[in-house]
Amino acid sequence: MTPISGVSVDTAGGTVQNEGLTGVHVAGAFRVQIDVKPGSFPNSVNCKSRGKIPVAILGEPGFDPAVDLDPSTLTFGATGDEESLAFCNAGGDDGEEPDLNHDGQRDLMCHFYTQKADFCSDPRTCGARLRGETYDGLPIDGYDRIRIVPGSYRPAAGHPGLAPKGIPRGLTKMGVTSLPR
């Protein structure tokens, strides 16, 4: 395992100092770059899918996700706390090079179960969060925007969802009949 260089951890104070990495320290976690559904834009998620969502965890100088990350700690979904990991493999799928974004750094490709990621319990979901830890115990956090495929949203039990016209039910009860475009 290669330790992450450029990062110091104060175990007494619980702080992480970024000393030269391009990632950003966010609320006690090292910010990593992720790419949901690499090669596609927008990053569409079909709530009816029973498949998996590919997510690239991008390497950078001093950080090799294929070596530094403990895959057993990875969670991914609407909040980042969803235990949805199917599997990870260094590099891409089908024998692709391990440098998915062609920046000279090795990347890690992981796949997460769509249903377990829980993007579809709220139609306002527009982002995907990945959380986990390195083998050294450093928390990591990554975020990418997603788009829910129209017509695939299914509200979870107890969630008000949307009225048939696409207006939140709470607004229809207040007499709202249309939304500005």
Side-chain angles (χ1 to χ4, degrees), residues 1 4 30 38 62 64 82 85 90 104 111 120 122 125 137 154 165-166:
M1 174 181 72
I4 297 176
F30 176 71
D64 181 345
E82 295 81 3
L85 180 66
H111 296 258
C120 302
D122 187 339
T125 299
R154 290 176 307 193
K165 294 181 180 178

Side-chain angles (χ1 to χ4, degrees), residues 91-108:
D93 296 325
D94 302 325
E96 293 176 23
E97 290 296 315
D99 180 9
L100 298 167
N101 60 346
H102 310 291
D103 65 353
Q105 304 296 317
R106 184 163 51 171
D107 304 317
L108 179 66

Side-chain angles (χ1 to χ4, degrees), residues 36-76:
V36 173
K37 299 182 84 173
S40 72
F41 182 82
N43 302 323
S44 298
V45 173
N46 184 338
C47 293
K48 294 178 182 175
S49 170
R50 299 278 181 213
K52 299 171 196 73
I53 301 169
V55 178
I57 304 169
L58 305 176
E60 59 183 79
F63 174 65
D64 181 345
V67 174
D68 298 329
L69 284 183
D70 178 354
S72 71
T73 66
L74 294 178
T75 55
F76 171 80

Side-chain angles (χ1 to χ4, degrees), residues 161-163 166-180:
L162 296 176
I167 301 170
R169 289 190 178 140
L171 293 178
T172 58
K173 290 179 181 178
M174 296 174 9
V176 175
T177 58
S178 66
L179 295 174

Side-chain angles (χ1 to χ4, degrees), residues 4-175:
I4 297 176
S5 62
V7 175
S8 62
V9 179
D10 172 6
T11 55
T15 60
V16 178
Q17 294 296 320
N18 181 352
E19 299 169 347
L21 286 174
T22 57
V24 178
H25 169 237
V26 177
F30 176 71
R31 176 67 63 127
V32 297
Q33 292 183 22
I34 65 170
D35 186 5
V36 173
K37 299 182 84 173
S40 72
F41 182 82
N43 302 323
S44 298
V45 173
N46 184 338
C47 293
K48 294 178 182 175
S49 170
R50 299 278 181 213
K52 299 171 196 73
I53 301 169
V55 178
I57 304 169
L58 305 176
E60 59 183 79
F63 174 65
D64 181 345
V67 174
D68 298 329
L69 284 183
D70 178 354
S72 71
T73 66
L74 294 178
T75 55
F76 171 80
T79 66
D81 295 326
E82 295 81 3
E83 293 183 8
S84 58
L85 180 66
F87 64 92
C88 293
N89 57 342
D93 296 325
D94 302 325
E96 293 176 23
E97 290 296 315
D99 180 9
L100 298 167
N101 60 346
H102 310 291
D103 65 353
Q105 304 296 317
R106 184 163 51 171
D107 304 317
L108 179 66
M109 178 71 85
C110 296
H111 296 258
F112 298 87
Y113 292 106
T114 303
Q115 296 299 311
K116 291 183 177 182
D118 198 30
F119 291 120
C120 302
S121 63
D122 187 339
R124 298 167 293 182
T125 299
C126 61
R129 184 163 304 281
L130 173 96
R131 291 190 176 136
E133 291 183 1
T134 66
Y135 284 108
D136 293 334
L138 178 69
I140 60 108
D141 183 86
Y143 177 85
D144 196 8
R145 293 189 58 84
I146 63 165
R147 171 186 162 272
I148 302 299
V149 172
S152 73
Y153 164 73
R154 290 176 307 193
H159 190 281
L162 296 176
K165 294 181 180 178
I167 301 170
R169 289 190 178 140
L171 293 178
T172 58
K173 290 179 181 178
M174 296 174 9

